[in-house]
Amino acid sequence: MEGRSTPKEPNFNFTKKIMDSGGDTLNLCIQCGTCTGSCPSSKITALRTRKLIRKAQLGLEDEIFSTDDLWQCTTCYRCYERCPRGVDVPSIIIILRNMAVKRGDLAEAHQKNAGYIINTGHIIPFGKKQEAMRKKVGLDPTPPTTLSSEKALKEVKAIVKKTGFDKLITGSDKSIKNEESNEK
Amino acid sequence: MRNKAKYGLYLGCIAPLRYPGIESSTREVLKKLGIDFIDLEGVSCCPAPGVVRSFDIETWLALGARNLSIAEEKRVEMLTICNGCFDSLYESACSLDDEKTRKRVNDILVSAGVREYQGTTKVRHEVEVLYNEVGLEKIRSLVVNKLDLKVAVHYGCHFLSPSKYKKIDDPERPTILDDLVEATNAKSVSYRDKQACCGAGGGVRARLPQVALAMTEEKLKNITEAKADCIVTPCPFCHLQFDRGQKEMNYKYTIPVLHISQLLGLAFGINKEKLGFESHYVPVKLPARQWEER
């Protein structure tokens, strides 16, 4: 039939995987579309929350992972706040993102953020410029966080090693440098 | 002597590393209000819910549990000054209420040589502590500069949502932050789609910056229409998105952005230097009458 897509075979094993990973509200969705109507991202992107949830219900794995839709969500929770069925959409999206990352879909900017955490305990870099800014407002140049304690940073590094996060993020051959930030 | 402080100040990343004025204002404001707090030494990023949680929930929980365990050891409640930190730590604490999850995460902590988390830490947001524990009356009594400002209040998403767990205020029609702002004599103006997201969350700012900016611009347009003098947020990440976002739009808009701690600091007459407006991209030019030098 012209203009219509070919019917897809559902894959309920994949659906079950999402639900077993904490997305157990997935099958409560009745496709009313309140989520899409409430989504600030949908005004400017191709993300259609209702459709994404339908694809997840049917386990249409390839369709879910073949676009950037999953990453257009700011996790603002409007959909969850308004859903008449209590579907925890943001959590389902996060579970799907975890799966996408395992498949190798990790933006370079995100890889950097994660690298900063592994190297410093913080998600953004810190350098001389920022130290000076802190001094100007009367603060210690270095905040009393992992940046001030080798022992604390060691703990963070041990945790990410234990969970495999370091490998997940760096992949096989990409190394992350801890660049000093020149930003204000 | 056992410390008597009730709170441990949790700094996060954006405030101490990009807008130190938010950190110093917070410290000054808490002191003025007589709130006893300690630093939570050795904490890391919360870790950021939009990115780390999106990549690996288990790592997010384990790093969160480590931060929670630092407050637990000091027997203090965690006082957060950022919606992202609040959300991340609050939600990890909720997940870790479940004994099975806690056991699993503690196994990771122990094998990494970190203390276990027993599940007792309370996670609080500055705005809610000021409103519920200090109260508007006391805040009003400390105002020495009655602010004559029209403020566009931006709540940010993760202060109130998911409301099912947080139960702080109505996420669609909240008043808690407006009330706090108005305690300084400033006026909170209403504007179109006030509860809309700034655009930065969920890792969107890093991965799809143009999408984030388009959402920010929508807000800036609506705030401009309401003729606000400034934006006030309880979240350094929203703050960053509005401040740097305007730079990234080549200053098509120039609306100053203040964290609630900076606004209160201004009203409490705290030294201008400590408010740290210098690290903002959009100059904090407010109607002259706020600026009686002291």
Side-chain angles (χ1 to χ4, degrees), chain B:
Chain B
M1 202 182 89
R2 261 189 57 199
N3 83 69
K4 63 181 175 65
K6 185 175 178 192
Y7 301 103
L9 178 60
Y10 180 82
L11 298 173
C13 299
I14 312 270
L17 309 187
R18 291 293 175 274
Y19 293 98
I22 297 178
E23 179 185 333
S24 49
S25 306
T26 302
R27 290 179 185 277
E28 295 300 317
V29 164
L30 294 180
K31 269 186 233 159
K32 272 253 174 230
L33 293 168
I35 296 177
D36 278 323
F37 66 95
I38 56 165
D39 278 319
L40 292 171
E41 283 167 15
V43 289
S44 68
C45 175
C46 48
V51 280
V52 177
R53 189 187 199 179
S54 288
F55 307 157
D56 186 43
I57 293 170
E58 202 70 356
T59 303
W60 169 75
L61 266 179
L63 290 175
R66 178 183 170 276
N67 286 329
L68 292 164
S69 77
I70 291 173
E72 185 170 67
E73 198 179 49
K74 299 280 183 200
R75 301 176 186 218
V76 288
E77 299 185 4
M78 262 176 147
L79 180 60
T80 60
I81 55 174
C82 166
N83 291 3
C85 303
F86 177 58
D87 184 57
S88 200
L89 294 163
Y90 194 98
E91 289 209 49
S92 24
C94 284
S95 298
L96 293 162
D97 275 343
D98 173 55
E99 240 170 87
K100 256 168 111 185
T101 309
R102 197 165 66 242
K103 162 99 185 43
R104 201 181 68 230
V105 172
N106 274 334
D107 285 347
I108 299 173
L109 295 188
V110 168
S111 67
V114 181
R115 76 204 77 70
E116 284 187 41
Y117 173 57
Q118 310 299 332
T120 63
T121 300
K122 269 196 180 162
V123 182
R124 310 286 301 264
H125 189 296
E126 179 193 10
V127 167
E128 167 263 326
V129 167
L130 294 191
Y131 191 91
N132 293 320
E133 308 284 342
V134 177
L136 296 178
E137 210 49 50
K138 180 155 189 190
I139 290 168
R140 269 189 220 112
S141 75
L142 286 167
V143 172
V144 295
N145 283 335
K146 285 198 166 190
L147 302 183
D148 187 6
L149 284 176
K150 280 187 280 178
V151 172
V153 170
H154 171 81
Y155 278 83
C157 306
H158 300 123
F159 169 34
L160 303 174
S161 290
S163 61
K164 185 178 166 188
Y165 301 107
K166 291 178 179 157
K167 298 188 176 75
I168 295 171
D169 199 352
D170 181 340
E172 305 270 9
R173 287 169 209 84
T175 55
I176 180 167
L177 183 55
D178 303 87
D179 290 346
L180 201 54
V181 163
E182 295 204 328
T184 67
N185 197 53
K187 185 174 169 28
S188 166
V189 296
S190 64
Y191 62 94
R192 190 187 161 99
D193 282 341
K194 182 172 164 186
Q195 284 313 110
C197 172
C198 71
V204 174
R205 177 176 167 82
R207 179 162 171 149
L208 300 158
Q210 292 315 315
V211 172
L213 269 189
M215 287 167 70
T216 312
E217 177 153 24
E218 185 67 26
K219 288 224 70 161
L220 290 169
K221 239 191 262 169
N222 295 334
I223 288 168
T224 303
E225 258 171 41
K227 299 193 167 64
D229 297 312
C230 64
I231 299 169
V232 170
T233 81
C235 173
F237 197 37
C238 302
H239 180 111
L240 178 144
Q241 180 63 15
F242 283 121
D243 186 47
R244 294 183 174 210
Q246 293 183 81
K247 176 192 171 244
E248 285 149 15
M249 289 171 216
N250 294 317
Y251 300 106
K252 185 171 160 193
Y253 305 86
T254 49
I255 310 167
V257 187
L258 280 79
H259 186 269
I260 182 66
S261 292
Q262 291 174 307
L263 186 86
L264 291 172
L266 190 61
F268 291 172
I270 283 159
N271 184 315
K272 213 165 125 188
E273 220 104 282
K274 294 212 163 165
L275 300 180
F277 293 145
E278 255 183 70
S279 51
H280 295 206
Y281 280 96
V282 178
V284 182
K285 276 192 203 146
L286 300 173
R289 48 196 184 274
Q290 328 301 327
W291 290 107
E292 294 156 39
E293 294 293 337
R294 38 192 65 244

Side-chain angles (χ1 to χ4, degrees), chain A residues 92-104:
Chain A
I92 291 167
I93 289 180
I94 295 224
I95 290 162
L96 291 169
R97 284 180 176 185
N98 273 219
M99 294 174 177
V101 170
K102 279 207 183 78
R103 294 163 61 115

